[in-house]
Amino acid sequence: MTPLVSFGGLVVVAALAFVAPLLVASGPARRLPAVVLLIVSGIVVGPSGLGIVTLDLPVQILALIGLAFLLFLAGLEVEVHDMRGRRLRLAVASFGLSFALALAIGAGLGAIGLVDAPVLVAVILVGTSLGVVIPVLKDAGEIDGDFGQLVVAAASVADVGAIVLLSVLFTRDGDPAAAALLFALFALLAVVLVVAILRAERAGILAPVLRRLQDTTAQIRVRAAWLLLVGIAAVAEALGLEVILGAFVAGAILTIVDTDTTRTHPLFRPKLEAIGFGVFVPVFFIATGLRFDLGALLAGPEAVVLIPVYVAALLLARGVPAIVLGRSAGPRRLAAAGLLQATLLPIAPAQIGLELGLLDAATSAALITAGLIAVVVFPSAALALLGPRPDSSPRKQSPQQLEHARS
């Protein structure tokens, strides 16, 4: 009897997901993000390369869950409680300037015939890959300082703003006004859900049972997070909005309602990261490589020319607005902030543009390639500008240590 689905391709994908971080950790280019190697490995084994693996049903399903989990975990990174006051004002001002520059860039590229959907390109250009920016700031020892938190706030606003703009302006039915109303309804439902959960927490209705079952085979908090992710994504889809918006909002909701100030469940978020980054997210990145149309990218010079154009556009649209974040940071830190803000891997929006027929395969491939270059080059350059970690300077040795060293 022939099986309905084959797990042969999934075995190769799982093997690539396992090997990629090992190669990065043991190789000379330790600054190379593992996500780049995952996508490139998908291209190598996929239809554009050796043709070993195709995007079959098991890989498609896991990749879809991986995309949702990636946005869910990105929503978890948004420190909603800290997004206020001067930090929020500067982040919003930076995003506003970024969007204005992106619209001008998109209009310019459309005027010379390089793109057919200038507004979509503008929306793509204003995003930032928050999941890449935060580890870089941690490596530089800047994540807890005012500068690091300001960069995180700017990246968070860009992440949220790009997803909202993408969901409202580019809908399946093509009616932005109706999409705006549906988005308002979606936001209202999210607020109602947050209020209901917070009230239930204050009343202590679920706390005892959650605490009792959280580390048993029930893993009740993880199941609740999974229900929240799938439920909010389903609501967004039912309203005609993008699933990625629902997944991101689900993560943000969990950040708001689960502060865990009493440290009753410190393993909760590591468990979610283990599930997401350990299982589903790598499949999504490898599947992106499997979808990558290298033939369309290399079919003519137009798409190849677009790659450096998009890299420069990212630097202009996202790098220049870093000047809004404050001159007191100094030129090196502002330059680093600009590079981090320009760090973007636009896989999801490029895929959405392709599905809506607003981008062709060559343009989508050029955008993803430019994003790969940005993710490889910009964070490394930012780390070089920020310098070593503050605690990485040689420690003063005691007389006993000096005596031992002499001997």
Side-chain angles (χ1 to χ4, degrees):
M1 181 177 178
T2 304
L4 295 177
V5 296
S6 171
F7 281 76
L10 191 56
V11 170
V12 177
V13 170
L16 293 175
F18 173 73
V19 171
L22 295 179
L23 291 177
V24 171
S26 60
R30 297 192 178 187
R31 296 287 188 196
L32 181 70
V35 57
V36 175
L37 194 55
L38 290 171
I39 295 173
V40 171
S41 67
I43 296 173
V44 171
V45 302
S48 292
L50 301 176
I52 299 174
V53 181
T54 59
L55 198 63
D56 57 14
L57 186 59
V59 175
Q60 286 185 50
I61 293 173
L62 291 183
L64 178 62
I65 299 174
L67 173 60
F69 240 109
L70 180 64
L71 272 296
F72 177 70
L73 294 173
L76 277 176
E77 296 284 2
V78 178
E79 296 295 338
V80 181
H81 300 284
D82 294 332
M83 297 288 285
R84 58 171 68 93
R86 170 181 171 272
R87 190 175 294 165
L88 179 59
R89 289 195 302 271
L90 290 176
V92 171
S94 176
F95 180 74
L97 177 56
S98 181
F99 190 42
L101 288 171
L103 286 172
I105 292 169
L109 294 177
I112 61 178
L114 286 180
V115 297
D116 297 325
V119 178
L120 174 60
V121 170
V123 171
I124 291 174
L125 290 176
V126 296
T128 295
S129 293
L130 186 62
V132 179
V133 170
I134 288 178
V136 173
L137 290 171
K138 286 182 179 178
D139 288 344
E142 297 276 0
I143 190 68
D144 295 322
D146 183 65
F147 169 77
Q149 286 300 304
L150 195 55
V151 174
V152 170
S156 300
V157 170
D159 234 3
V160 175
I163 292 173
V164 170
L165 288 171
L166 187 66
S167 297
V168 172
L169 297 180
F170 301 97
T171 60
R172 306 292 173 179
D173 59 7
D175 188 354
L181 290 175
L182 291 173
F183 172 76
L185 175 60
F186 176 75
L188 178 61
L189 292 174
V191 170
V192 170
L193 179 60
V194 168
V195 172
I197 295 175
L198 290 176
R199 285 189 174 182
E201 284 185 347
R202 292 193 187 100
I205 299 173
L206 295 176
V209 68
L210 289 176
R211 193 173 302 175
R212 188 170 67 251
L213 297 177
Q214 65 188 13
D215 293 319
T216 67
T217 54
Q219 293 293 332
I220 197 67
R221 291 187 185 275
V222 175
R223 296 190 189 189
W226 173 242
L227 174 61
L228 180 67
L229 166 59
V230 176
I232 300 296
V235 170
E237 184 181 42
L239 292 175
L241 302 172
E242 290 297 335
V243 172
I244 59 173
L245 175 65
F248 187 90
V249 169
I253 288 175
L254 187 56
T255 298
I256 295 171
V257 301
D258 184 57
T259 55
D260 193 25
T261 54
T262 56
R263 303 289 292 171
T264 59
H265 47 281
L267 298 179
F268 176 42
R269 295 200 182 193
K271 289 175 184 178
L272 294 178
E273 291 180 355
I275 296 171
F277 292 124
V279 181
F280 297 113
V281 175
V283 179
F284 165 68
F285 286 124
I286 295 170
T288 300
L290 296 178
R291 290 191 185 95
F292 191 86
D293 196 338
L294 185 61
L297 181 65
L298 302 178
E302 296 84 3
V304 176
V305 168
L306 278 176
I307 296 173
V309 170
Y310 284 140
V311 173
L314 278 172
L315 277 173
L316 180 59
R318 294 296 297 140
V320 171
I323 61 175
V324 175
L325 300 183
R327 297 177 182 177
S328 60
R332 290 175 67 87
R333 284 190 168 192
L334 280 182
L339 288 167
L340 291 174
Q341 286 195 162
T343 300
L344 172 66
L345 189 55
I347 296 173
Q351 184 176 322
I352 290 170
L354 196 61
E355 292 174 358
L356 294 177
L358 298 173
L359 299 177
D360 56 27
T363 305
S364 176
L367 274 166
I368 294 175
T369 304
L372 288 172
I373 294 172
V375 169
V376 170
V377 176
F378 295 171
S380 300
L383 276 174
L385 288 169
L386 291 172
R389 293 176 59 98
D391 59 353
S392 63
S393 57
R395 295 181 179 178
K396 186 177 180 179
Q397 292 181 312
S398 66
Q400 293 83 358
Q401 290 173 318
L402 289 172
E403 183 62 31
H404 178 74
R406 292 192 193 101
S407 63

